[in-house]
Amino acid sequence: MLALEAMDYTAGGRRILSDIWLQVDEGEILAVIGMSGCGKTSLLKCIAGLVRPSAGSVRLEGRDIVPLGEADLNAVRRRIGLVFQYAALFDSLNVYENVAFGPKQHTRLRRADLDQLVSRRLGEVGMSGSERLMPSELSGGMRKRVGLARAMATEPAVLLYDEPTSGLDPVIARTIDHLIVETRNRTRTTSVVVSHDVRSVFRTADRIAFMHEGRIEAVGSPEDIRASSSKVVQEFLEADSGP
């Protein structure tokens, strides 16, 4: 579904990502972890087509999106759903309008069909009946749920999550983890989860890629990562499991 091949990304004269090779299969949840500043968010932006790599390719469903012009890239972006770190809901729009935003931009659904779509997506994330609420009336966990419903409203092939459990208490974080897995199981959507939350990642991911200083240091199943011989991987895991 998604393949990064020999990908570099340079910004402001500094190389952020270097020689990235990564493949994500259809219906897989791949988590990307690593210390702050290692390039995780830049990797996500390259996959989403928000920034253009300086070398290499980003293949979505077999098509390299790097050389595409803006019109073709916009068509590709509609195949990608992005769940932002702090949900990034439109504060001036209510929940219904936030979830309906993508379909209204890209389809010609009748109002009745749009109502049904919004209701279904909100129901899938446990937010039925919240259509008229404003973002300011939602808790952090509720905002994350609405953000996921909005991302799913355009029926993407790939879902990208940027720090989905950041700022949430452990109970709500577990709920979001369950929602990520349940969404994949229900839709077979391919998912890439960027996170610093090791416990969350080990609960949700089929495979994990560990990044260090702009490179992929290790990639494998959760068991593979736990058993990694890489010193930086083990230091990261040990720091997370500390007192």
Side-chain angles (χ1 to χ4, degrees), residues 105-142:
Q105 293 291 315
H106 304 302
T107 69
R108 296 183 178 180
L109 288 176
R110 295 178 304 152
R111 178 59 188 247
D113 293 330
L114 186 61
D115 289 351
Q116 188 177 51
L117 171 63
V118 172
S119 177
R120 184 170 69 251
R121 291 307 184 208
L122 287 173
E124 289 167 351
V125 300
M127 289 294 292
S128 294
S130 66
E131 285 87 343
R132 301 308 164 195
L133 294 177
M134 299 301 291
S136 61
E137 300 177 90
L138 305 178
S139 67
M142 293 167 72

Side-chain angles (χ1 to χ4, degrees), residues 7-76:
M7 192 188 78
D8 294 351
Y9 173 59
T10 301
R14 184 170 70 93
R15 179 172 285 188
I16 309 296
L17 300 172
S18 182
D19 197 30
I20 301 292
W21 292 81
L22 201 57
Q23 180 174 310
V24 192
D25 294 331
E26 184 175 0
E28 182 179 29
I29 299 176
L30 175 81
V32 182
I33 63 174
M35 291 175 279
S36 297
C38 70
K40 302 188 299 294
T41 298
S42 293
L43 181 74
L44 209 63
K45 288 179 178 179
C46 288
I47 294 172
L50 299 177
V51 298
R52 198 178 299 270
S54 50
S57 63
V58 177
R59 297 188 181 278
L60 177 65
E61 297 177 297
R63 185 185 190 187
D64 185 7
I65 71 172
V66 173
L68 296 182
E70 196 62 23
D72 288 334
L73 196 54
N74 278 334
V76 170

Side-chain angles (χ1 to χ4, degrees), residues 92-114:
S92 62
L93 304 181
N94 64 25
V95 167
Y96 176 96
E97 292 163 335
N98 266 280
V99 178
F101 185 84
K104 286 173 71 173
Q105 293 291 315
H106 304 302
T107 69
R108 296 183 178 180
L109 288 176
R110 295 178 304 152
R111 178 59 188 247
D113 293 330
L114 186 61

Side-chain angles (χ1 to χ4, degrees), residues 16-17 24-25 37 45 50 52 77 86 103 110 123 126 128 162 164 169 177 189 193 202 208 221 225 231 239:
I16 309 296
L17 300 172
V24 192
D25 294 331
K45 288 179 178 179
L50 299 177
R52 198 178 299 270
R77 289 180 184 130
Y86 298 109
R110 295 178 304 152
S128 294
D162 186 13
D169 67 57
D177 290 341
T189 303
V193 181
F202 279 105
I208 298 170
S221 68
I225 296 300
K231 182 179 179 181

